[in-house]
Amino acid sequence: MKRFRKLLLAEVGIEFKACLYFFAILFFYCVYKMTQGIFQADMLVMAEMILTTYVMGYVQVFLLKNFEESDHLGAFELLASLGCSLVYAGLAFLLSWFDRQWLPEVLFFGYVLLCFISLRLIYYIRRHWDTAELNEELETFKKARKREE
């Protein structure tokens, strides 16, 4: 049962990451297209993007130890963020999401790296709030227990 719970939690985390990164990448893609005077998005490109975010989600969770959610920021987490950003930018170039133009590709790399940093900050804040809430609940429990004695 513990294994199933662990896998289910990992799957929910992957779904969450895939949705966040897909939205972020799609936003960048749409802005790029609009700067080109194009107000339509390619369905094949969007399918490639969502597939990429799911595969990368599995890689991040199972191979890269869910580095975005780790408690400490070290060399491994920085290298993982840079590596994943490079993979996204490389796939964008290979699949021609931005017409294989270097400036949008470089900007996209920076944008994805910023997304990793932002998500890491969100997880840090959430963990901090959860810890504070748990400590508050523990204090309330201790006080209630003390009154009962």
Side-chain angles (χ1 to χ4, degrees), residues 59-70:
V59 168
Q60 287 168 231
V61 169
F62 294 115
L63 295 180
L64 299 176
K65 304 178 210 166
N66 217 3
F67 68 91
E68 298 159 307
E69 297 184 40
S70 68

Side-chain angles (χ1 to χ4, degrees), residues 5-144:
R5 182 175 181 258
K6 188 176 180 179
L7 285 173
L8 186 60
L9 286 172
E11 185 62 35
V12 169
I14 291 165
E15 292 286 332
F16 178 71
K17 288 176 202 246
C19 289
L20 280 176
Y21 286 117
F22 174 65
F23 177 77
I25 292 168
L26 183 61
F27 176 77
F28 189 92
Y29 174 74
C30 289
V31 169
Y32 167 75
K33 285 296 191 181
M34 286 189 292
T35 63
Q36 304 295 310
I38 301 167
F39 295 92
Q40 298 170 350
D42 187 333
M43 295 291 286
L44 180 59
V45 168
M46 288 191 288
E48 293 167 349
M49 288 175 179
I50 194 69
L51 181 62
T52 299
T53 59
Y54 271 105
V55 170
M56 287 299 292
Y58 282 99
V59 168
Q60 287 168 231
V61 169
F62 294 115
L63 295 180
L64 299 176
K65 304 178 210 166
N66 217 3
F67 68 91
E68 298 159 307
E69 297 184 40
S70 68
D71 287 336
H72 111 285
L73 179 62
F76 176 78
E77 291 78 15
L78 290 172
L79 286 173
S81 296
L82 285 169
C84 287
S85 298
L86 275 171
V87 168
Y88 274 115
L91 285 171
F93 183 79
L94 288 174
L95 298 171
S96 194
W97 294 349
F98 308 110
D99 305 316
R100 293 197 174 119
Q101 295 182 21
W102 286 102
L103 180 59
E105 291 291 339
V106 170
L107 292 174
F108 180 65
F109 169 78
Y111 176 76
V112 173
L113 188 58
L114 183 63
C115 288
F116 277 109
I117 292 166
S118 299
L119 189 56
R120 180 166 182 74
L121 180 60
I122 289 167
Y123 279 122
Y124 173 80
I125 291 169
R126 189 192 92 199
R127 198 170 35 254
H128 202 76
W129 288 346
D130 285 349
T131 301
E133 186 177 328
L134 285 172
N135 286 337
E136 188 177 304
E137 288 175 7
L138 180 60
E139 286 302 315
T140 303
F141 175 77
K142 286 179 180 179
K143 287 177 185 176

